[in-house]
Amino acid sequence: MTESLVSPTIPQLRTLIDSGDLAPVGLVRSALARISQVEDKIQAFAAIFADEALAVAQQPQPDGPPGRAPLWGIPVVVKDIYDVAGYRTGNGSLGAPDHLAVRDSEAVRRLRAAGAIILGKSTTHEYAYGVNTPPTRNPWSLDRIPGGSSGGTGAAIAAGITTAGLGTDTGGSIRIPAALCGVTGHKPTFGLVSRSGVSALSSTLDHTGPLGRTVDDTVALLEVIAGHDPSDPYSSTAPVGDLRSEYDRGLDGLTVGVAEKYFCDRLAPDVAAVFDDAVRTIEGAGATIKSVEFTDVELCPGVVDVVCGVEAAAWHAMQLGMQPDKFGSDVRDALRIGVAYTGVEYVEALRARAAVIAGMDALFGSGTDLLISPTIAMTAPPYGSTQVELGGRTVSVLAGINALTVPANVTGMPALTVPAGFGSDGLPVGVQIMGPRGADATVLGAGRAFEALVDCVARTPAL
């Protein structure tokens, strides 16, 4: 890939394509060339659709009014738990069924309808049940994890292969790799994007959504894939609205909450320093910073453990052709624990979830527009880590990495991670911006304003 195409944004690519200065087939060739340069180092792909992508890129732009195909000619990657017609949905697992998908997942169908070119399938932690995503490596430091479970998408974007792609998020799996890889990721309001044709982890907590180099890239995908889907029983029927409606309002006049308890009291010192700088930047841009309390938020890890465990075990029990004996030990153990939970424990977890949602509603109902926190309490752990330090305690890597992201899954509120700076080890640190359910436009607008102030996206890994 030429240097000018290693770190573009979708608006930049759109301008080049529309002016005739860049052809989609040239863009795909550049992406494939970049893959040949870096894939052996980062291992971000489960499958590469080179021939198909080149063939699609040579098709003429469809006739119609401007904007009919807003992603025409743009290569994207898709996490390997989304069905793509004619290809195996591998789920990052040796035990996944061998059959090929007969149709695209709804989100992929909408991407294609908007003109996007599916470049390939990105790696995932096995069945999206973890945060390591082996064998993928972090482009900023090849001895570190990229995060997960959408680690391949995050790594491919950070490495300059593609500008955007799809992930899923049950406990942070869009935001975690985005933050650890120094890119942007948005977990939409629950139900905003269809989950039809996507392997499930937890029907109560699963979200589908985009990752991108910048907020612009993330929104470009989101506004194409968002909207009601009758084939998804969890799909929201609420109007999507204009996701760019608050793009230019800035941060001035917003009341931004900071919850010291839970979100800020267990941070690595360098992450705490980056977050403090971010808070000062937001305040300097005209926002009012407000100390808030998120009642019952500490219940979130337990809710996710039980609800996700039970629902994952139930979904896996219904699948045909699986070979669980070939699953990794971490996923086998998680599913075994899920089966062991009782109905009483599951109902208690749902009651605890209702309490957390009430706490969120009270927080945003008290004059607070947004809630901010670090996305992750630490920078990317070493590859192969099974444990990390969180607030002076040794915990599992899953519990440590998703500690600050799980509240958005429990409540269904929108949550965006934007690069905010770098730790003492030179690795990316993200800031998480959360809002009340349905306030995706506010969250995205604030993220775009913050992104412009810190300008971290100008830095890319050397690889």
Side-chain angles (χ1 to χ4, degrees), residues 187-353:
K187 185 205 73 63
T189 295
F190 182 82
L192 184 65
V193 179
S194 173
R195 304 185 316 198
S196 178
V198 181
S199 299
L201 182 54
S202 167
S203 58
T204 299
L205 306 172
D206 285 350
H207 299 67
T208 42
L211 295 83
R213 176 162 297 284
T214 66
V215 176
D216 278 340
D217 305 310
T218 306
V219 174
L221 264 62
L222 183 61
E223 58 192 1
V224 164
I225 62 177
H228 180 62
D229 173 19
S231 67
D232 176 4
Y234 300 95
S235 178
S236 173
T237 58
V240 175
D242 181 2
L243 293 168
R244 300 177 189 255
S245 62
E246 300 193 40
Y247 239 36
D248 299 318
R249 68 149 294 156
L251 295 163
D252 189 29
L254 290 172
T255 298
V256 178
V258 176
E260 181 68 29
K261 181 181 177 183
Y262 187 87
F263 286 100
C264 301
D265 54 5
R266 297 172 291 173
L267 307 178
D270 53 351
V271 172
V274 171
F275 182 64
D276 288 344
D277 287 343
V279 171
R280 286 193 293 269
T281 296
I282 292 170
E283 188 173 32
T288 298
I289 301 298
K290 177 183 178 183
S291 179
V292 298
E293 182 177 355
F294 193 148
T295 306
D296 290 323
V297 69
E298 70 279 0
L299 299 176
C300 286
V303 170
V304 171
D305 285 347
V306 177
V307 172
C308 184
V310 170
E311 294 179 350
W315 184 82
H316 276 262
M318 294 186 294
Q319 305 309 304
L320 301 176
M322 284 200 179
Q323 303 175 67
D325 56 308
K326 295 183 178 180
F327 290 179
S329 60
D330 59 338
V331 174
R332 284 201 310 270
D333 290 346
L335 293 173
R336 190 178 302 117
I337 292 169
V339 169
Y341 284 121
T342 66
V344 171
E345 289 172 311
Y346 180 69
V347 171
E348 287 176 344
L350 292 180
R351 287 175 176 165
R353 176 174 177 257

Side-chain angles (χ1 to χ4, degrees), residues 96-121:
D98 290 331
H99 61 76
L100 305 181
V102 297
R103 63 180 62 87
D104 286 336
S105 55
E106 178 61 14
V108 170
R109 187 196 69 78
R110 294 186 185 192
L111 286 180
R112 289 195 200 272
I117 299 170
I118 309 302
L119 186 63
K121 295 191 119 187

